Amino acid sequence: MKRYELIAPCHFGLEAVLKKEIIDLGYYISGVEDGRVTFYGDEEAVCRANVFLRTAERVLIKIGSFRAETYEELFQGTKGLPWEEFIPRDGKFWVAKAGSVKSKLFSPSDIQAIMKKAMVERLKEVYRESWFEESGESFPVRVFLLKDEVTVGLDTTGDSLHKRGYRKLTAKAPIAENLAAALIMLTPWRADRILVDPFCGSGTIPIEAAMMAANMAPGMRRGFTAKNWPHIVGAQIWQDTLEEAEEMVDFSVETDIQGYDADEDIVAAARENARLAGVEKLIHFQKREVSELSHAKKYGFIITNPPYGERLEDKENLRPLYETIGERFRMLDAWSLYMITSYENAQQDIGRKADKNRKIYNGMMKTYYYQFLGPKPAKKPRPEGGNRQE
């Protein structure tokens, strides 16, 4: 099998979470930068990364990198890459996205046009063609420019990995599925612990938690661009990877995962999304105001994405809302609260300084993931004589 360097972009601030995921899959990390992790793997790694990674946005095959301070250098550097190893004679190819940070070349449209022209010139020479019909499979390319260093990747994913395929109905300002998964993974929550999201919206956080509890791979029910590239990744490898994912699912797990929302229609949408994800039996959704938040048991987790007040008319409601969150949290015995928000006075209104906070970019919006930690439950005593050596 051929060895590739693969690039996995992610939300800024979540690189360490994604890095751990990749290591847990068994792959060697070659680099970590703002918003992306690179690692080595073969064709199987392309499949497994797409199917199993919960926090990545996509998986790119690195075609190459070079330095470019002028458009001529960009053209020649792009032309020098081995495009014919990936794009067949009838392939449809284009630069789907160009990003530039602290580089002399900064116009996305100009970068895309120059690189497309260079790719055409390279393939003309290799295939001895004067014109390409581009009637075959799609080969989208993505490029990053950082301090004049150009990194070029072939997008194996297509639609972003946050699109698991289950969220057909959405609330306003829904949280992305891969971000929701990362928020859960940044906590000590496990399937045998209580999890409540009192602002569940479309149900994304409870659904992602239920999928983790049942060991469901996030990409097992969606398609990928690279599925149509048999010369790069064979169909048998995709089939083996999906069979591996199916064998890992365990619906016998017992959970206490709850999602509340004040809007009955939103709760209905969350239930439908959970059904489409196949985890509706693992989650209890109900119409409930945050002021009614309660639970009889100890050591639970609140993991939530409350309103930020992006619109001016919503801002005046934020203080009483966050004060209510704080009041209800104090009523819960030995619980922990994990909350992502851009609201600047969140800690003040909740009435407690967070034990930890983490800066995360939700799209282009800077948010903080506040972590109010409760006590750990006492360890269960081992059965007498359980590990005793005679």
Side-chain angles (χ1 to χ4, degrees), residues 50 57-60 155-161 222-226:
N50 272 300
E57 292 182 355
R58 59 188 66 250
V59 179
L60 312 175
D155 182 6
T156 71
T157 302
D159 287 339
S160 173
L161 287 175
R222 54 157 288 166
F224 304 99
T225 305

Side-chain angles (χ1 to χ4, degrees), residues 174-190:
I175 190 170
E177 293 89 329
N178 55 350
L179 177 54
L183 299 183
I184 299 166
M185 293 166 74
L186 283 167
T187 79
W189 179 82
R190 296 293 179 268

Side-chain angles (χ1 to χ4, degrees), residues 1-4 41-48 232-233 237:
M1 286 191 172
K2 189 167 182 178
R3 190 166 183 252
Y4 298 111
D42 53 18
E43 296 99 314
E44 184 182 74
V46 173
C47 299
R48 296 185 75 239
I232 298 176
V233 185
I237 299 175

Side-chain angles (χ1 to χ4, degrees), residues 234-276:
Q236 188 62 50
I237 299 175
W238 284 106
Q239 183 176 328
D240 291 345
T241 301
L242 291 172
E243 286 179 0
E244 176 189 359
E246 291 284 356
E247 290 169 2
M248 291 170 61
V249 177
D250 177 13
F251 284 124
S252 68
V253 63
E254 294 185 7
T255 60
D256 187 348
I257 300 172
Q258 301 182 31
Y260 310 151
D261 200 280
D263 187 323
E264 185 65 64
D265 291 337
I266 295 299
V267 172
R271 288 195 186 104
E272 176 61 10
N273 289 337
R275 186 191 68 78
L276 292 170

Side-chain angles (χ1 to χ4, degrees), residues 19-241:
K19 177 183 176 182
K20 184 179 185 303
E21 274 202 280
I22 294 168
I23 291 171
D24 288 346
L25 277 182
Y27 301 114
Y28 174 76
I29 302 294
S30 57
V32 179
E33 299 176 81
D34 287 347
R36 64 183 188 266
V37 180
T38 55
F39 61 103
Y40 288 108
D42 53 18
E43 296 99 314
E44 184 182 74
V46 173
C47 299
R48 296 185 75 239
N50 272 300
V51 171
F52 289 107
L53 291 180
R54 297 185 189 277
T55 62
E57 292 182 355
R58 59 188 66 250
V59 179
L60 312 175
I61 297 174
K62 183 177 177 180
I63 305 299
S65 59
F66 55 89
R67 189 167 182 81
E69 298 182 15
T70 67
Y71 284 114
E72 178 61 24
E73 289 175 341
L74 180 66
F75 179 90
Q76 294 299 337
T78 303
K79 187 180 178 184
L81 298 176
W83 295 107
E84 66 279 1
E85 293 181 13
F86 302 93
I87 302 174
R89 191 184 298 266
D90 66 345
K92 179 182 179 182
F93 56 96
W94 72 101
V95 180
K97 186 173 182 180
S100 178
V101 177
K102 298 179 181 178
S103 297
K104 294 180 177 65
L105 306 179
F106 55 84
S107 167
S109 58
D110 289 340
I111 293 167
Q112 289 167 302
I114 292 292
M115 291 186 67
K116 169 72 176 190
K117 184 177 179 182
M119 294 164 68
V120 169
E121 290 303 311
R122 167 83 180 206
L123 295 176
K124 274 184 179 179
E125 293 176 6
V126 173
Y127 290 130
R128 301 184 184 279
E129 297 278 1
S130 59
W131 182 77
F132 293 100
E133 190 173 308
E134 298 192 42
S135 58
E137 298 298 340
S138 295
F139 293 84
V141 172
R142 291 181 171 244
V143 59
F144 314 97
L145 282 77
L146 176 61
K147 297 179 181 178
D148 302 318
E149 186 71 19
V150 183
T151 302
V152 185
L154 187 63
D155 182 6
T156 71
T157 302
D159 287 339
S160 173
L161 287 175
H162 82 266
K163 296 184 178 180
R164 319 292 205 209
Y166 66 74
R167 199 165 72 182
K168 306 300 183 184
L169 303 170
T170 62
K172 61 183 180 181
I175 190 170
E177 293 89 329
N178 55 350
L179 177 54
L183 299 183
I184 299 166
M185 293 166 74
L186 283 167
T187 79
W189 179 82
R190 296 293 179 268
D192 61 347
R193 305 284 293 277
I194 305 160
L195 187 154
V196 175
D197 179 1
F199 301 95
C200 73
S202 305
T204 309
I205 290 175
I207 291 170
E208 289 294 318
M211 290 176 69
M212 290 180 195
N215 210 19
M216 290 181 68
M220 62 190 293
R221 297 187 176 184
R222 54 157 288 166
F224 304 99
T225 305
K227 273 191 170 183
N228 300 314
W229 303 347
H231 61 296
I232 298 176
V233 185
Q236 188 62 50
I237 299 175
W238 284 106
Q239 183 176 328
D240 291 345
T241 301

